[in-house]
Amino acid sequence: MKTVAEILQQQEFAVQDLILLLNAADSSKHLLFERSSQLKENVLGKKVYFRGLVEFSNVCSKDCYYCGIRKSNTNVVRYNASDEEILEACRFAWQNRFGSVVLQSGEISSKAFVKRVEGLLKKIKQLSNNELGITLSCGEQSRDTFLRWFESGAHRYLLRIEASNRQLYYKIHPDSDNHSFEKRLEALQHLKETGYQVGTGVMIGLPFQTLKDLANDLLFFKQIDIDMCGMGPYIEHEHTPLYQHRHLLQSRKERFDLALKMIAALRLLMPDINIAAATALQAIDPAGREKALTVGANVIMPNLTPCDYRKEYLLYEDKPCLDEDAELCRNCLEARIELAGSEIGYNEWGDSKHFTSRISKLNISS
Ligand code: 5AD
Ligand code: FES
């Protein structure tokens, strides 16, 4: 059997190599982390980019088995932040030189919702002299909707595949037309064709998930040639169907460690993509996101959701920063990022380098 040190010398990684890295014992995982950290610095430098996260609505038409804001969870008070509240959060991001915002919501595809997002995008561009970059994370939409939002100013889109193994996907989603694995793959393809920088990701430590599944998730990211990735530990939520399988879960600490190894391994596989330090890491370890930055992540998403709504956007238990206001969140992040040996890319969009080279290759060949 190969050792971690031997695998780290390779340029290409087979599924077995990745499994071995994900299985690295405490005594050898530091080799993986040193390599991923070094690679990040060589390829991308020390900069970390901020994306101010605005969770503007928790109304959702989906029923994913893991998610606390799933449609059937009647314990949740549903909200829609007003345009003014959303724009205020974006103005805060702009004034504090965040560079970009992420607008995230439950999945709604009504005409009114599509139009509303379109209007918001235009207003965010206007209020920031076109300076704020905008990422959307509003679920699966039609090709036409993706295009309309792109033309209104969004240029990055996050849509996690959640699990790239079709069988596992249907263990964590209902087997219905509204939760089709094929449609999810198709949506990722449409996003790419529209011209977005495309981000996807998975949850780590799900019940029924194996290390082989996770290794294949990494190869899936490479195969569909993503520009960005956001992945974090799965955290159980009492009012969801997946909670009944909690006895199958690894400890939270183990899921956390596995998530760090996934980030490090992805950095080896795709050195020039943007990798976000997921908020779920912080739900397990208060310094979780900063630890992710030291092993390969280069994007962090401070929460700018108006405080009153945060307790209703609980995707999972122990979600952090429920009552910190935006200013506090920013101050504590800044100090911690400096501790983690990084610099903040103020006022920069921090686009995925991978996207830039992907597009220039496309232009050369056309
Ligand atoms: N634990 C961790 N992540 C979760 N998400 C949803 N529910 C959970 C959970 N219980 C993630 C999904 C989704 C993203 C917005 O939040 O991956 O894509
Ligand atoms: Fe699908 Fe929330 S209902 S991620």
Side-chain angles (χ1 to χ4, degrees), residues 60 62-64 66-67 69-71 162 315:
C60 190
K62 287 229 161 151
D63 246 337
C64 308
Y66 45 83
C67 180
I69 65 163
R70 63 197 300 271
K71 185 180 174 198
E162 316 292 2
L315 305 171

Side-chain angles (χ1 to χ4, degrees), residues 54-59 78-89 103-105 113 116 120 304-310 313:
V54 188
E55 297 152 330
F56 68 94
S57 170
N58 64 356
V59 181
R78 301 290 162 174
Y79 71 85
N80 254 308
S82 67
D83 281 13
E84 290 66 37
E85 288 168 321
I86 299 167
L87 296 175
E88 195 43 52
L103 297 189
Q104 188 176 83
S105 68
F113 181 78
R116 176 167 190 231
L120 279 167
L304 301 185
T305 305
C307 285
D308 289 349
Y309 298 132
R310 291 191 194 186
Y313 206 89

